[in-house]
Amino acid sequence: MARIAIDREHGLLTVEFQGLDKLWTLKSRLEIPLTHVRGATHDPGIAREPKGIRVGGTHLPGVITAGRFRRDGERVFWQVKNPGKAIVIELADAETYDRLVVEVDDPRAAVALIDRSISHS
């Protein structure tokens, strides 16, 4: 599971991975400038989307998708075990990823936090 935090002072969206997710994703956290965040949505159906080629991380279909994937030129970072809690964070001018697909404890609250933060940046 991921924890989403907003640092308004530094203009950053932080996605911090908890427990074994650090191992599966090969990352402990991602920091994205708020100016690169276009929005977020709660999307339980995203888990059925083709993942593409795994660049680094873990993929056990139906169990976990975690790490970096490429599909049709798009770079996507995944961290999902429970698709019902998946959110998609769309990025613009991304240096590393086009989208982040992460599992959070409360998808609606995370989406609202992100959307509020980018409307004020």
Side-chain angles (χ1 to χ4, degrees):
M1 191 148 326
R3 188 173 79 67
I4 305 288
I6 302 295
D7 180 344
R8 292 186 196 280
E9 183 179 333
H10 295 101
L12 292 173
L13 164 77
T14 301
V15 181
E16 189 168 350
F17 303 105
Q18 309 293 311
L20 287 175
D21 288 327
K22 293 177 187 180
L23 175 67
W24 309 135
T25 62
L26 305 176
K27 297 254 184 215
S28 60
R29 70 188 304 149
L30 297 170
E31 290 184 337
I32 309 291
L34 283 173
T35 56
H36 292 189
V37 179
R38 292 192 336 212
T41 56
H42 176 210
D43 188 354
I46 191 92
R48 292 186 300 274
E49 183 178 293
K51 310 303 181 276
I53 298 169
R54 182 175 45 141
V55 179
T58 306
H59 182 61
L60 299 169
V63 178
I64 186 170
T65 303
R68 298 172 292 147
F69 291 77
R70 272 190 167 287
R71 188 177 122 219
D72 300 328
E74 184 180 47
R75 298 158 304 172
V76 183
F77 186 90
W78 285 81
Q79 179 275 313
V80 176
K81 290 181 283 197
N82 178 353
K85 294 188 172 205
I87 66 169
V88 179
I89 303 169
E90 297 285 342
L91 304 175
D93 302 321
E95 297 168 10
T96 310
Y97 303 107
D98 297 294
R99 290 190 297 164
L100 308 177
V101 183
V102 297
E103 177 183 333
V104 295
D105 188 43
D106 185 342
R108 290 180 191 192
V111 167
L113 173 67
I114 293 166
D115 287 346
R116 273 193 319 270
S117 299
I118 61 174
S119 68
H120 292 104
S121 59

